[in-house]
Amino acid sequence: MRQETKCIEGGYTPKNGEPRLIPIVQSTTFKYDTSEDMGKLFDLEASGYFYTRLQNPTNDLVAKKIAELEGGSAGMLTSSGQAASFFSVFNIAQAGDHVVASSSIYGGTYNLFNVTMRKMGIDFTFVDPDCSDEELEAAFRPNTKAVFGETIANPALIVFDIERFAKAAHSHGVPLIIDNTFATPINCRPIEWGADIVIHSTTKYMDGHDATVGGAIVDSGNFDWMAHKEKFPGLCTPDESYHGITYAEKFGKEGAFITKATAQLMRDLGSIPSPMNCYILNLGLESLAVRVQRHCENAQKVAEFLENHPKVSYVTYPGLKSNKYYERAKKYMPDGSCGVISFGVEGGRSAAEEFMKHLKLAIIATHVADAHTCVLHPASSTHRQLTDEELIAGGVRPDLIRFSVGIENADDIIEDLEQALKAI
């Protein structure tokens, strides 16, 4: 099936007389006839459900659809995109380990890595996504366990060179983890370019309607954990907290990563979404291909308008031929990038804040990448924990405005921008 069809038909095929839509299994608990039957589940000898904190049928069907869209072997849902970022790294790294990450990533992810996970004993080296080969090579250490980047950085809109970083990661025997939230699998499938693990904040385009917070992790099934078993003892040696199972041996490279994340991390940390939220997410997924196309069409028109406006000092959008990443975006995302634009107005930071006060259609919100047009000044909100130096290092200028173009009529969005720019 093509992507548009997978959005509708993927993950779930009802049998004769079964519900047309994925059913909501709103239950914490599942009944079994004997202790032996349940014991097989705890030993991972049989598939099934016993407690929704670990797995739920509704959640798994939606995860299966996302895995099919990304071209992966297995997937799981989490309670938020932040949980997906954390699980994807913590599933293979522990105290004393090291991760190489792009310096141009979402501010919340940067803070998770640079502050919280450092407290857990995991070290991070942040590299410019446009660094030289020598700088990239120098970032690796003997205890490096993964490389992490974003397809399109939020909010800097830097297009990540997936193929290049995948080759570097694999040369050191570690997987590449890609956050594909902004591009979505409609516009980019990082696994086809060498990524091993793909994550999403499903809160954004996948849900698309400001309705549910969530995250997703998809395993490509391509990384051979046992070939580098000395690096990944959590996957390649017995897990004494789960009956001595060696995940990579029992479930192979196609299932080891997600099974461990479910049986161990979800068991202990419980960052699972509710079945109702997953049902709502699936409704968003059904229209994902249609909406993403409209987002990109609208954003292209808005970006071209802003680029030619005298009060706009700069515009960053991968769809503009003047953009530094235009050719790279065409390589990885030939059908369009995303609906998010970054720009600045003449007068700097204070003028940016004044401009936002005059918008009428576009709302000021921390959210991004949904049906409604919204705007944000990251330096005073999502990235306010960063210094000006850290902002610039991450590709976020203090005067940057993040403008998330919705699926309203593009002319209405442009008229709103026009009147707000006239007011400053």
Side-chain angles (χ1 to χ4, degrees), residues 13-38:
T13 302
K15 297 176 183 177
N16 188 45
E18 290 187 341
R20 177 63 192 88
L21 285 177
I22 289 174
I24 306 169
V25 183
Q26 193 65 45
S27 179
T28 62
T29 313
F30 302 81
K31 177 257 184 185
Y32 287 89
D33 292 334
T34 69
S35 295
E36 288 77 13
D37 289 338
M38 182 173 283

PDB file of all heavy atoms in Angstrom, residues 13-38:
ATOM      1  N   THR A  13      -7.109  -4.610  10.291  1.00  0.00           N
ATOM      2  CA  THR A  13      -8.036  -5.088   9.265  1.00  0.00           C
ATOM      3  C   THR A  13      -9.169  -5.838   9.956  1.00  0.00           C
ATOM      4  O   THR A  13      -8.968  -6.935  10.480  1.00  0.00           O
ATOM      5  CB  THR A  13      -7.324  -6.028   8.277  1.00  0.00           C
ATOM      6  OG1 THR A  13      -6.223  -5.339   7.673  1.00  0.00           O
ATOM      7  CG2 THR A  13      -8.286  -6.491   7.191  1.00  0.00           C
ATOM      8  N   PRO A  14     -10.348  -5.248  10.021  1.00  0.00           N
ATOM      9  CA  PRO A  14     -11.455  -5.916  10.728  1.00  0.00           C
ATOM     10  C   PRO A  14     -11.896  -7.185  10.008  1.00  0.00           C
ATOM     11  O   PRO A  14     -11.927  -7.239   8.776  1.00  0.00           O
ATOM     12  CB  PRO A  14     -12.562  -4.853  10.721  1.00  0.00           C
ATOM     13  CG  PRO A  14     -12.241  -3.962   9.563  1.00  0.00           C
ATOM     14  CD  PRO A  14     -10.745  -3.943   9.456  1.00  0.00           C
ATOM     15  N   LYS A  15     -12.233  -8.178  10.792  1.00  0.00           N
ATOM     16  CA  LYS A  15     -12.774  -9.422  10.248  1.00  0.00           C
ATOM     17  C   LYS A  15     -14.293  -9.293  10.129  1.00  0.00           C
ATOM     18  O   LYS A  15     -14.873  -8.267  10.488  1.00  0.00           O
ATOM     19  CB  LYS A  15     -12.394 -10.586  11.158  1.00  0.00           C
ATOM     20  CG  LYS A  15     -10.890 -10.809  11.253  1.00  0.00           C
ATOM     21  CD  LYS A  15     -10.559 -11.921  12.243  1.00  0.00           C
ATOM     22  CE  LYS A  15      -9.046 -12.083  12.383  1.00  0.00           C
ATOM     23  NZ  LYS A  15      -8.695 -13.113  13.403  1.00  0.00           N
ATOM     24  N   ASN A  16     -14.913 -10.323   9.630  1.00  0.00           N
ATOM     25  CA  ASN A  16     -16.355 -10.313   9.398  1.00  0.00           C
ATOM     26  C   ASN A  16     -17.123  -9.958  10.675  1.00  0.00           C
ATOM     27  O   ASN A  16     -16.983 -10.610  11.709  1.00  0.00           O
ATOM     28  CB  ASN A  16     -16.808 -11.692   8.900  1.00  0.00           C
ATOM     29  CG  ASN A  16     -18.260 -11.697   8.463  1.00  0.00           C
ATOM     30  OD1 ASN A  16     -18.700 -10.796   7.764  1.00  0.00           O
ATOM     31  ND2 ASN A  16     -19.004 -12.701   8.895  1.00  0.00           N
ATOM     32  N   GLY A  17     -17.890  -8.880  10.612  1.00  0.00           N
ATOM     33  CA  GLY A  17     -18.710  -8.468  11.746  1.00  0.00           C
ATOM     34  C   GLY A  17     -17.985  -7.687  12.824  1.00  0.00           C
ATOM     35  O   GLY A  17     -18.591  -7.327  13.836  1.00  0.00           O
ATOM     36  N   GLU A  18     -16.694  -7.387  12.630  1.00  0.00           N
ATOM     37  CA  GLU A  18     -15.937  -6.635  13.636  1.00  0.00           C
ATOM     38  C   GLU A  18     -16.045  -5.135  13.383  1.00  0.00           C
ATOM     39  O   GLU A  18     -16.416  -4.706  12.284  1.00  0.00           O
ATOM     40  CB  GLU A  18     -14.474  -7.071  13.624  1.00  0.00           C
ATOM     41  CG  GLU A  18     -14.244  -8.469  14.159  1.00  0.00           C
ATOM     42  CD  GLU A  18     -12.771  -8.815  14.285  1.00  0.00           C
ATOM     43  OE1 GLU A  18     -11.941  -8.148  13.648  1.00  0.00           O
ATOM     44  OE2 GLU A  18     -12.466  -9.764  15.046  1.00  0.00           O
ATOM     45  N   PRO A  19     -15.712  -4.300  14.393  1.00  0.00           N
ATOM     46  CA  PRO A  19     -15.818  -2.850  14.234  1.00  0.00           C
ATOM     47  C   PRO A  19     -14.967  -2.335  13.071  1.00  0.00           C
ATOM     48  O   PRO A  19     -13.846  -2.799  12.864  1.00  0.00           O
ATOM     49  CB  PRO A  19     -15.295  -2.307  15.568  1.00  0.00           C
ATOM     50  CG  PRO A  19     -15.447  -3.429  16.533  1.00  0.00           C
ATOM     51  CD  PRO A  19     -15.270  -4.682  15.751  1.00  0.00           C
ATOM     52  N   ARG A  20     -15.496  -1.389  12.325  1.00  0.00           N
ATOM     53  CA  ARG A  20     -14.766  -0.791  11.208  1.00  0.00           C
ATOM     54  C   ARG A  20     -13.571   0.019  11.714  1.00  0.00           C
ATOM     55  O   ARG A  20     -12.495  -0.016  11.137  1.00  0.00           O
ATOM     56  CB  ARG A  20     -15.703   0.110  10.396  1.00  0.00           C
ATOM     57  CG  ARG A  20     -15.010   0.849   9.251  1.00  0.00           C
ATOM     58  CD  ARG A  20     -14.458  -0.129   8.229  1.00  0.00           C
ATOM     59  NE  ARG A  20     -13.565   0.527   7.279  1.00  0.00           N
ATOM     60  CZ  ARG A  20     -12.257   0.697   7.464  1.00  0.00           C
ATOM     61  NH1 ARG A  20     -11.693   0.270   8.571  1.00  0.00           N
ATOM     62  NH2 ARG A  20     -11.522   1.271   6.542  1.00  0.00           N
ATOM     63  N   LEU A  21     -13.767   0.764  12.796  1.00  0.00           N
ATOM     64  CA  LEU A  21     -12.678   1.540  13.384  1.00  0.00           C
ATOM     65  C   LEU A  21     -11.969   0.716  14.461  1.00  0.00           C
ATOM     66  O   LEU A  21     -12.563  -0.199  15.048  1.00  0.00           O
ATOM     67  CB  LEU A  21     -13.213   2.827  14.013  1.00  0.00           C
ATOM     68  CG  LEU A  21     -13.619   3.953  13.068  1.00  0.00           C
ATOM     69  CD1 LEU A  21     -14.185   5.117  13.870  1.00  0.00           C
ATOM     70  CD2 LEU A  21     -12.440   4.422  12.221  1.00  0.00           C
ATOM     71  N   ILE A  22     -10.727   1.063  14.723  1.00  0.00           N
ATOM     72  CA  ILE A  22      -9.998   0.425  15.820  1.00  0.00           C
ATOM     73  C   ILE A  22     -10.814   0.595  17.105  1.00  0.00           C
ATOM     74  O   ILE A  22     -11.151   1.717  17.487  1.00  0.00           O
ATOM     75  CB  ILE A  22      -8.604   1.055  15.981  1.00  0.00           C
ATOM     76  CG1 ILE A  22      -7.710   0.648  14.797  1.00  0.00           C
ATOM     77  CG2 ILE A  22      -7.958   0.646  17.298  1.00  0.00           C
ATOM     78  CD1 ILE A  22      -6.360   1.328  14.791  1.00  0.00           C
ATOM     79  N   PRO A  23     -11.150  -0.483  17.787  1.00  0.00           N
ATOM     80  CA  PRO A  23     -11.973  -0.364  18.998  1.00  0.00           C
ATOM     81  C   PRO A  23     -11.177   0.181  20.178  1.00  0.00           C
ATOM     82  O   PRO A  23      -9.960  -0.025  20.268  1.00  0.00           O
ATOM     83  CB  PRO A  23     -12.422  -1.810  19.253  1.00  0.00           C
ATOM     84  CG  PRO A  23     -11.363  -2.648  18.621  1.00  0.00           C
ATOM     85  CD  PRO A  23     -10.870  -1.886  17.427  1.00  0.00           C
ATOM     86  N   ILE A  24     -11.868   0.864  21.063  1.00  0.00           N
ATOM     87  CA  ILE A  24     -11.251   1.388  22.285  1.00  0.00           C
ATOM     88  C   ILE A  24     -11.383   0.324  23.369  1.00  0.00           C
ATOM     89  O   ILE A  24     -12.480   0.035  23.841  1.00  0.00           O
ATOM     90  CB  ILE A  24     -11.935   2.682  22.751  1.00  0.00           C
ATOM     91  CG1 ILE A  24     -11.966   3.722  21.624  1.00  0.00           C
ATOM     92  CG2 ILE A  24     -11.223   3.243  23.983  1.00  0.00           C
ATOM     93  CD1 ILE A  24     -12.851   4.906  21.924  1.00  0.00           C
ATOM     94  N   VAL A  25     -10.259  -0.243  23.765  1.00  0.00           N
ATOM     95  CA  VAL A  25     -10.262  -1.226  24.852  1.00  0.00           C
ATOM     96  C   VAL A  25      -9.897  -0.466  26.132  1.00  0.00           C
ATOM     97  O   VAL A  25      -8.741  -0.401  26.546  1.00  0.00           O
ATOM     98  CB  VAL A  25      -9.278  -2.377  24.577  1.00  0.00           C
ATOM     99  CG1 VAL A  25      -9.346  -3.421  25.687  1.00  0.00           C
ATOM    100  CG2 VAL A  25      -9.582  -3.021  23.232  1.00  0.00           C
ATOM    101  N   GLN A  26     -10.902   0.167  26.727  1.00  0.00           N
ATOM    102  CA  GLN A  26     -10.687   1.023  27.893  1.00  0.00           C
ATOM    103  C   GLN A  26     -10.734   0.166  29.155  1.00  0.00           C
ATOM    104  O   GLN A  26     -11.665   0.227  29.951  1.00  0.00           O
ATOM    105  CB  GLN A  26     -11.735   2.138  27.938  1.00  0.00           C
ATOM    106  CG  GLN A  26     -11.426   3.253  28.917  1.00  0.00           C
ATOM    107  CD  GLN A  26     -10.193   4.039  28.543  1.00  0.00           C
ATOM    108  OE1 GLN A  26     -10.010   4.411  27.385  1.00  0.00           O
ATOM    109  NE2 GLN A  26      -9.330   4.288  29.511  1.00  0.00           N
ATOM    110  N   SER A  27      -9.710  -0.640  29.317  1.00  0.00           N
ATOM    111  CA  SER A  27      -9.628  -1.531  30.472  1.00  0.00           C
ATOM    112  C   SER A  27      -8.199  -1.589  30.964  1.00  0.00           C
ATOM    113  O   SER A  27      -7.265  -1.652  30.163  1.00  0.00           O
ATOM    114  CB  SER A  27     -10.098  -2.938  30.088  1.00  0.00           C
ATOM    115  OG  SER A  27      -9.992  -3.816  31.188  1.00  0.00           O
ATOM    116  N   THR A  28      -8.028  -1.554  32.262  1.00  0.00           N
ATOM    117  CA  THR A  28      -6.683  -1.678  32.820  1.00  0.00           C
ATOM    118  C   THR A  28      -6.222  -3.122  32.853  1.00  0.00           C
ATOM    119  O   THR A  28      -5.028  -3.406  32.807  1.00  0.00           O
ATOM    120  CB  THR A  28      -6.629  -1.144  34.266  1.00  0.00           C
ATOM    121  OG1 THR A  28      -7.505  -1.944  35.089  1.00  0.00           O
ATOM    122  CG2 THR A  28      -7.057   0.308  34.327  1.00  0.00           C
ATOM    123  N   THR A  29      -7.177  -4.055  32.909  1.00  0.00           N
ATOM    124  CA  THR A  29      -6.868  -5.435  33.277  1.00  0.00           C
ATOM    125  C   THR A  29      -7.525  -6.428  32.319  1.00  0.00           C
ATOM    126  O   THR A  29      -8.559  -6.129  31.731  1.00  0.00           O
ATOM    127  CB  THR A  29      -7.378  -5.699  34.710  1.00  0.00           C
ATOM    128  OG1 THR A  29      -6.982  -4.630  35.555  1.00  0.00           O
ATOM    129  CG2 THR A  29      -6.813  -7.000  35.264  1.00  0.00           C
ATOM    130  N   PHE A  30      -6.917  -7.593  32.181  1.00  0.00           N
ATOM    131  CA  PHE A  30      -7.402  -8.620  31.276  1.00  0.00           C
ATOM    132  C   PHE A  30      -7.499  -9.947  32.031  1.00  0.00           C
ATOM    133  O   PHE A  30      -6.609 -10.308  32.793  1.00  0.00           O
ATOM    134  CB  PHE A  30      -6.483  -8.737  30.067  1.00  0.00           C
ATOM    135  CG  PHE A  30      -6.362  -7.439  29.311  1.00  0.00           C
ATOM    136  CD1 PHE A  30      -5.495  -6.436  29.743  1.00  0.00           C
ATOM    137  CD2 PHE A  30      -7.143  -7.198  28.190  1.00  0.00           C
ATOM    138  CE1 PHE A  30      -5.396  -5.230  29.066  1.00  0.00           C
ATOM    139  CE2 PHE A  30      -7.060  -5.991  27.508  1.00  0.00           C
ATOM    140  CZ  PHE A  30      -6.186  -5.005  27.946  1.00  0.00           C
ATOM    141  N   LYS A  31      -8.564 -10.684  31.811  1.00  0.00           N
ATOM    142  CA  LYS A  31      -8.873 -11.897  32.568  1.00  0.00           C
ATOM    143  C   LYS A  31      -8.312 -13.142  31.886  1.00  0.00           C
ATOM    144  O   LYS A  31      -8.357 -13.275  30.653  1.00  0.00           O
ATOM    145  CB  LYS A  31     -10.397 -12.022  32.710  1.00  0.00           C
ATOM    146  CG  LYS A  31     -10.893 -13.280  33.425  1.00  0.00           C
ATOM    147  CD  LYS A  31     -11.431 -14.298  32.439  1.00  0.00           C
ATOM    148  CE  LYS A  31     -12.019 -15.510  33.159  1.00  0.00           C
ATOM    149  NZ  LYS A  31     -12.432 -16.568  32.196  1.00  0.00           N
ATOM    150  N   TYR A  32      -7.808 -14.084  32.697  1.00  0.00           N
ATOM    151  CA  TYR A  32      -7.322 -15.369  32.183  1.00  0.00           C
ATOM    152  C   TYR A  32      -7.920 -16.513  32.996  1.00  0.00           C
ATOM    153  O   TYR A  32      -8.239 -16.367  34.174  1.00  0.00           O
ATOM    154  CB  TYR A  32      -5.786 -15.400  32.212  1.00  0.00           C
ATOM    155  CG  TYR A  32      -5.215 -14.517  31.121  1.00  0.00           C
ATOM    156  CD1 TYR A  32      -4.955 -13.168  31.355  1.00  0.00           C
ATOM    157  CD2 TYR A  32      -5.017 -15.024  29.845  1.00  0.00           C
ATOM    158  CE1 TYR A  32      -4.500 -12.347  30.349  1.00  0.00           C
ATOM    159  CE2 TYR A  32      -4.564 -14.211  28.829  1.00  0.00           C
ATOM    160  CZ  TYR A  32      -4.299 -12.875  29.071  1.00  0.00           C
ATOM    161  OH  TYR A  32      -3.872 -12.062  28.066  1.00  0.00           O
ATOM    162  N   ASP A  33      -8.034 -17.668  32.344  1.00  0.00           N
ATOM    163  CA  ASP A  33      -8.655 -18.824  32.991  1.00  0.00           C
ATOM    164  C   ASP A  33      -7.752 -19.469  34.030  1.00  0.00           C
ATOM    165  O   ASP A  33      -8.218 -19.982  35.034  1.00  0.00           O
ATOM    166  CB  ASP A  33      -9.060 -19.862  31.937  1.00  0.00           C
ATOM    167  CG  ASP A  33     -10.193 -19.372  31.051  1.00  0.00           C
ATOM    168  OD1 ASP A  33     -10.973 -18.512  31.517  1.00  0.00           O
ATOM    169  OD2 ASP A  33     -10.294 -19.840  29.904  1.00  0.00           O
ATOM    170  N   THR A  34      -6.435 -19.465  33.760  1.00  0.00           N
ATOM    171  CA  THR A  34      -5.504 -20.110  34.686  1.00  0.00           C
ATOM    172  C   THR A  34      -4.273 -19.254  34.900  1.00  0.00           C
ATOM    173  O   THR A  34      -3.922 -18.402  34.066  1.00  0.00           O
ATOM    174  CB  THR A  34      -5.047 -21.483  34.143  1.00  0.00           C
ATOM    175  OG1 THR A  34      -4.202 -21.277  32.998  1.00  0.00           O
ATOM    176  CG2 THR A  34      -6.237 -22.358  33.755  1.00  0.00           C
ATOM    177  N   SER A  35      -3.589 -19.506  36.015  1.00  0.00           N
ATOM    178  CA  SER A  35      -2.325 -18.822  36.290  1.00  0.00           C
ATOM    179  C   SER A  35      -1.274 -19.206  35.255  1.00  0.00           C
ATOM    180  O   SER A  35      -0.401 -18.393  34.917  1.00  0.00           O
ATOM    181  CB  SER A  35      -1.823 -19.191  37.693  1.00  0.00           C
ATOM    182  OG  SER A  35      -2.702 -18.704  38.674  1.00  0.00           O
ATOM    183  N   GLU A  36      -1.374 -20.442  34.741  1.00  0.00           N
ATOM    184  CA  GLU A  36      -0.406 -20.884  33.729  1.00  0.00           C
ATOM    185  C   GLU A  36      -0.522 -20.056  32.453  1.00  0.00           C
ATOM    186  O   GLU A  36       0.487 -19.699  31.830  1.00  0.00           O
ATOM    187  CB  GLU A  36      -0.621 -22.374  33.410  1.00  0.00           C
ATOM    188  CG  GLU A  36      -0.178 -23.332  34.508  1.00  0.00           C
ATOM    189  CD  GLU A  36      -1.165 -23.397  35.665  1.00  0.00           C
ATOM    190  OE1 GLU A  36      -2.304 -22.891  35.512  1.00  0.00           O
ATOM    191  OE2 GLU A  36      -0.790 -23.943  36.715  1.00  0.00           O
ATOM    192  N   ASP A  37      -1.771 -19.735  32.082  1.00  0.00           N
ATOM    193  CA  ASP A  37      -1.974 -18.908  30.887  1.00  0.00           C
ATOM    194  C   ASP A  37      -1.333 -17.531  31.068  1.00  0.00           C
ATOM    195  O   ASP A  37      -0.661 -17.019  30.165  1.00  0.00           O
ATOM    196  CB  ASP A  37      -3.470 -18.736  30.612  1.00  0.00           C
ATOM    197  CG  ASP A  37      -4.113 -20.018  30.125  1.00  0.00           C
ATOM    198  OD1 ASP A  37      -3.377 -20.886  29.612  1.00  0.00           O
ATOM    199  OD2 ASP A  37      -5.344 -20.148  30.253  1.00  0.00           O
ATOM    200  N   MET A  38      -1.544 -16.943  32.232  1.00  0.00           N
ATOM    201  CA  MET A  38      -0.958 -15.626  32.487  1.00  0.00           C
ATOM    202  C   MET A  38       0.568 -15.726  32.611  1.00  0.00           C
ATOM    203  O   MET A  38       1.305 -14.843  32.163  1.00  0.00           O
ATOM    204  CB  MET A  38      -1.550 -15.000  33.751  1.00  0.00           C
ATOM    205  CG  MET A  38      -1.010 -13.598  34.041  1.00  0.00           C
ATOM    206  SD  MET A  38      -1.840 -12.793  35.411  1.00  0.00           S
ATOM    207  CE  MET A  38      -3.360 -12.295  34.613  1.00  0.00           C
TER     208      MET A  38
END
